[in-house]
Amino acid sequence: MKLTKSCVSRRSPAKLRPLPFALLAAFLSAPAVAQTTLAPVEVTAVPDGSLGLNRPSATGSRTGLSAQELPASLEQMDADTMRRRGDFGVVEAVTRTTGLTSQGTGGNGGLSFSVRGFAGVNSVGVAEDGARIGTAAGTINYPNTSWGYERIEVLRGPASIVSGAGTAGAVINAVRKQPSRERSTELLLGLGQYDTYRLGLGATGPIGEIASYRVDVYGHQSDAKRDHARSHGGKLMSTLRLQPSSDLRFELLADFSEQKPGDYWGTPVYNGKVMKHLRHENYNVTDGVVRYKDTRLRARAEWTANEWLSIRNEVYHFASDRHWKNVEGYRYDPATDTVSRSDYLEIFHDLEQTGNRLEATITAGQHKAVLGWEYSQADLRLSNNAPYGGSSSVDARDPIHGLWVNPGVTQPKTDTDTTQNAFYFEDAWRFSDKWQLLFGARRDLSDYDRRDRLTGVSFGKKLSGTSWRLGLTHFVSDDLSVYGQVSKGYDPIDNMLSLSLANSAFKLASAKQVEVGLKQQFGQGLGEWTAAIYRIEKDDIITRDPVQPAISVQGGSQHSKGIELTAVLRPTRQLMFEGNYALIDAEFDELVEAGGADRAGNRPANVARNIANLWGHYLIGDWQASLGARYVGKRYANNANSLTLPSYTVFDAAISWQYDQNTTLRLLGRNLTDKVYAAASYGGNFVMGDDRRVELIAEMKF
């Protein structure tokens, strides 16, 4: 019999510990429960962690296939792995997965990524439990933190069958922790440099004979070396489950989140480089504002009618209120050592979305099929003070920030109404012990109406697209599978909920993918690994008419091809390695930009050619030491490839001490070498990565 370290106590509770640690643990933890003497067992003393190849996933397929069975690249990162690495933000967790880099800034909500050669919120979707809020004006900001989630899953490549348009690169899905009839509580306390504090509380348990609940609360605050960079926020996630019988279940969910990220808009670049002595300056005004408020209500019902039919329905209402008030344009003048500021802007997004998903699962012989219908109605009001103006100049080394002054009038500008319907079908056919065929198709229909409140001008647009996927998996053995798939999906050429009049004549851009790969689990818990090779072609992107460059037309194209490797290896009971590598070859086949500039052969902006992550963990008794490295290759800040974000490598580390089965103390170090690097670009400026920081975390379970 083999048990993980969490199953049994590795030392007697009576053994003395150093007094300071014992006092701290006694203060933070509940009284220890008396241990029952067990028969001798063999303890596999390795930290938890795997690729989750045996775990079913609704992110990759609505038929509930495991990652091992799925003919596609699906990566899963569980809560224990995120906690062990100190990945408290969704961005931190996601960019540890294979081939993903962040291009998040305050202007796009922070949840903008690049993967497989495609970047931005129109190509990489973000969902919670499979539900996505419509993308408005290039902004996705929820979910922001990883607390309250059982795992985060990433399906790479066109994911339109499961998640709809806007997922040619990937879809990221945060899977919530579920209510349980077994009562438990978890607590996280954090304290670190730069006034960093965090508190997380999660509780679940029974209510009466048929009900159970789950509540997760999280709050955080952090600062930086630069002025006016303080970020803080909090959220509440709650679920009430009613299960009157084994074949009938109801759930009510209510969530609230408010996030106020730091109002930092980048550091000016001169001659293509950031001057290191200015990297800690912030040139925004003193009263700058970035705020995201989200309210989410959902109701679910699931009925297992018989052994071959189950029906699920989910109805939801999402509301997202966003506010920006900042000065976002900076230009450095070396002659006067000053920074010229421009773009005094104020923007409001008032977004409400109501939707429903009705789905039936049918099992017939070796077939498991899913039929579904999705509906959503989104209303968006955009308010701003455009055309953005205003200007000022401040000292580059010692800026007097001043207050924000509105150069125009902030008022509602446009109202949009978007109705979307989708009909989808999937069938997983296990036609022999060694072979499985997965086929799926989806039809998306969108009806968009926009009204300009100042001019009264209005227009409508209907968009539609049919996506499909065909995949074949061969099970060489119980632990080894190889697969191939072809798929087609769609991306909008503009944000679906804020489509402009200039882009209203265009259709969706199509993306086609071919992928082959393998997935293997090593025996005796020694690890897992996956490999994939792919090619994606995307057509009908916006380009310029080669004869009349002032006119935008559809007809541009780009492609990407690459190799992805992911592995978890446990060579000994005490040692574990986690790593991944992505090689991405992406370029434009046809693209003409303003002025007639030909970008064919150039690499798309924000796409790195090489990306790698590596973690090593060593366990000695109740102590665990972890060291991680992340490498991101050179990227370009524009399609002209004239502004380069240099490659960088960042090292992180963690040392943890398991006081008892319920209490762990963890010391985290981020960016150990204090590497100066650009994490993203914004308006021609570089958004600098975080400085070195240290944090102490206490984790408890009751």
Side-chain angles (χ1 to χ4, degrees), residues 393-455:
S393 181
V394 295
D395 187 279
R397 300 170 189 263
D398 187 21
I400 299 175
H401 299 278
L403 300 177
W404 188 86
V405 178
N406 195 345
V409 177
T410 302
Q411 57 186 325
K413 295 293 179 64
T414 59
D415 290 329
T416 68
D417 181 352
T418 307
T419 302
Q420 295 177 295
N421 283 276
F423 304 90
Y424 59 89
F425 164 77
E426 277 193 291
D427 180 32
W429 178 26
R430 188 71 176 261
F431 58 88
S432 79
D433 291 340
K434 296 293 186 180
W435 294 93
Q436 174 190 269
L437 186 69
L438 177 67
F439 173 73
R442 179 184 178 109
R443 178 68 173 172
D444 283 286
L445 304 168
S446 299
D447 190 352
Y448 176 84
D449 290 293
R450 170 171 171 150
R451 176 177 176 269
D452 189 307
R453 294 177 60 88
L454 299 183
T455 65

Side-chain angles (χ1 to χ4, degrees), residues 362-376:
I362 302 171
T363 303
Q366 302 304 314
H367 292 267
K368 188 172 184 180
V370 172
L371 295 167
W373 164 61
E374 290 184 48
Y375 165 85
S376 70

Side-chain angles (χ1 to χ4, degrees), residues 204-283:
T204 186
I207 303 176
E209 297 297 323
I210 65 170
S212 57
Y213 71 92
R214 172 99 204 169
V215 176
D216 290 283
V217 181
Y218 183 77
H220 65 96
Q221 171 188 293
S222 187
D223 211 332
K225 287 185 178 180
R226 62 179 57 89
D227 293 336
H228 311 302
R230 182 181 298 275
S231 62
H232 57 98
K235 68 177 181 180
L236 167 67
M237 303 167 62
S238 63
T239 305
L240 174 64
R241 174 177 291 173
L242 303 174
Q243 190 147 5
S245 65
S246 60
D247 56 8
L248 184 61
R249 185 171 74 187
F250 302 96
E251 289 183 347
L252 299 174
L253 300 86
D255 304 337
F256 177 77
S257 170
E258 182 169 9
Q259 304 293 333
K260 295 182 179 180
D263 51 4
Y264 165 61
W265 299 93
T267 300
V269 175
Y270 181 68
N271 286 337
K273 297 181 179 179
V274 167
M275 289 156 289
K276 291 186 178 181
H277 65 282
L278 300 182
R279 70 184 187 276
H280 290 137
E281 299 296 340
N282 188 347
Y283 299 106

Side-chain angles (χ1 to χ4, degrees), residues 173-233:
N173 186 31
V175 181
R176 296 167 68 107
K177 292 184 175 180
Q178 298 297 306
S180 172
R181 295 283 301 171
E182 182 177 343
R183 193 178 304 279
S184 66
T185 303
E186 54 186 321
L187 178 66
L188 180 144
L189 299 171
L191 176 65
Q193 286 181 289
Y194 308 114
D195 292 330
T196 298
Y197 307 96
R198 57 182 92 246
L199 169 64
L201 175 65
T204 186
I207 303 176
E209 297 297 323
I210 65 170
S212 57
Y213 71 92
R214 172 99 204 169
V215 176
D216 290 283
V217 181
Y218 183 77
H220 65 96
Q221 171 188 293
S222 187
D223 211 332
K225 287 185 178 180
R226 62 179 57 89
D227 293 336
H228 311 302
R230 182 181 298 275
S231 62
H232 57 98

